[in-house]
Amino acid sequence: MNPAQKKYLLFLVLIVGTHEVCGQIMYRSRYNSAIMAEGFGISPIMSINYENAFIRNKKSFYTGRIGVGYLPAKRNSPRGVSIPVQMSYNFMLPKVLKDLVRPLNTFPPRLKFETFIETGAGYSRVIYKEDNRGYANLFLGIRPQLLIDIPPKPTVIFARISINPRVNRKGLVFYERTDGGGQNFFGGFALGVSI
């Protein structure tokens, strides 16, 4: 191999190596699948969901979610069920909560907090005995994740607080009036754990 070929080969190795270093995932609290309980989110009242993180980038990931929800009986209607479906994009916020959790860090670190902003859209099919409805929502939330790195398998526990305006003919609706004269704000919370 002549010197020019060696330089070219070294250049290719450096380019490929640099690409691999730049492309590595920076967050530690990654997982493939999770189970989560959600209240007042895409499903109008409460639901249990299966979540899959199907694309993971360097500082972000995409998730898809499907679940089954429960709607208690109203004054003149029976109980119902809902089927929420949701897609979201999560991107990492650097150094949020870092100073707060510094005393919890051990060497090697067993607990790791990371915070993400989650944004996306969802649809919930609501099924009552005599009435079916569909609701489309956008949402924006903050999602802290805790990695518990204990062998044999690390566990990720996460929470999410969100606003989820409903999309209808009027545009984005952040709240609605109830039959009793009150107002319902479209926002929710969720707790989940990786499986």
Side-chain angles (χ1 to χ4, degrees):
M1 194 180 280
N2 66 33
Q5 290 174 330
K6 287 181 182 178
K7 287 181 184 178
Y8 181 71
L9 181 61
L10 179 62
F11 177 74
L12 284 177
V13 168
L14 287 174
I15 292 293
V16 170
T18 304
H19 175 70
E20 287 300 315
V21 169
C22 291
Q24 288 184 355
I25 294 175
M26 293 182 69
Y27 56 94
R28 291 187 58 205
S29 58
R30 52 188 177 265
Y31 61 92
N32 289 329
S33 301
I35 296 291
M36 67 184 294
E38 184 174 44
F40 306 103
I42 299 299
S43 178
I45 304 295
M46 63 184 86
S47 65
I48 299 294
N49 302 282
Y50 169 78
E51 179 178 80
N52 186 279
F54 57 92
I55 297 176
R56 290 179 289 189
N57 298 323
K58 186 176 177 183
K59 294 183 180 181
S60 63
F61 61 97
Y62 293 85
T63 60
R65 188 175 303 127
I66 188 164
V68 176
Y70 171 75
L71 294 109
K74 292 184 179 179
R75 292 182 194 157
N76 299 325
S77 64
R79 285 173 271 176
V81 297
S82 64
I83 303 170
V85 178
Q86 183 175 328
M87 299 291 286
S88 67
Y89 172 68
N90 300 270
F91 59 94
M92 186 175 182
L93 290 177
K95 299 182 182 179
V96 173
L97 299 176
K98 190 172 184 177
D99 292 332
L100 181 66
V101 299
R102 186 174 292 150
L104 297 175
N105 288 338
T106 57
F107 188 83
R110 298 279 185 218
L111 300 175
K112 176 77 175 173
F113 278 96
E114 295 172 327
T115 305
F116 295 83
I117 294 292
E118 183 171 8
T119 182
Y123 177 81
S124 185
R125 186 70 179 163
V126 176
I127 303 166
Y128 288 104
K129 187 174 182 180
E130 298 175 5
D131 184 22
N132 295 335
R133 301 176 206 157
Y135 298 116
N137 292 73
L138 297 178
F139 71 93
L140 175 67
I142 188 161
R143 178 180 175 138
Q145 295 190 163
L146 169 64
L147 170 71
I148 303 171
D149 192 6
I150 298 175
K153 183 180 176 184
T155 301
V156 176
I157 298 172
F158 59 90
R160 183 184 74 213
I161 298 172
S162 64
I163 57 170
N164 13 291
R166 192 164 284 166
V167 180
N168 60 25
R169 293 181 198 136
K170 298 175 188 174
L172 290 180
V173 179
F174 288 87
Y175 62 90
E176 69 179 356
R177 297 197 181 278
T178 62
D179 297 336
Q183 294 183 355
N184 286 339
F185 175 73
F186 295 129
F189 57 91
L191 292 171
V193 63
S194 63
I195 53 174

